[in-house]
Amino acid sequence: NGYMSLYGHNQSLFKGVGDTVVPGEPIASSGDSGGMAQTGVYFELRHNGEPLDPLVWCAGRPDSARASR
């Protein structure tokens, strides 16, 4: 449906390209990777190539993210 998620600096990946993710399902674990000074995960959401605010999605309100563009 035109949505894409990107994430990096993961220790382990639990999902692959094209996999469906349901609410609350882990997609990766964070760890010491990528030469980062601290443990963390890079996360980005896009719809039809346009970036979306992931905080809106994480709060469970994706429709307001699209309405605010």
Side-chain angles (χ1 to χ4, degrees):
N1 295 325
Y3 290 95
M4 177 176 61
S5 62
L6 301 106
Y7 45 100
H9 305 295
N10 308 294
Q11 178 141 343
S12 299
L13 299 175
F14 306 138
K15 292 291 186 174
V17 173
D19 287 350
T20 299
V21 178
V22 298
E25 185 176 20
I27 58 173
S29 64
S30 62
D32 254 349
S33 68
M36 303 296 292
Q38 296 181 356
T39 298
V41 173
Y42 174 84
F43 179 63
E44 182 179 325
L45 287 172
R46 291 181 177 259
H47 182 247
N48 294 325
E50 296 294 321
L52 298 176
D53 182 353
L55 291 177
V56 176
W57 277 79
C58 292
R61 297 183 306 275
D63 288 337
S64 40
R66 282 180 269 153
S68 68
R69 289 191 292 129

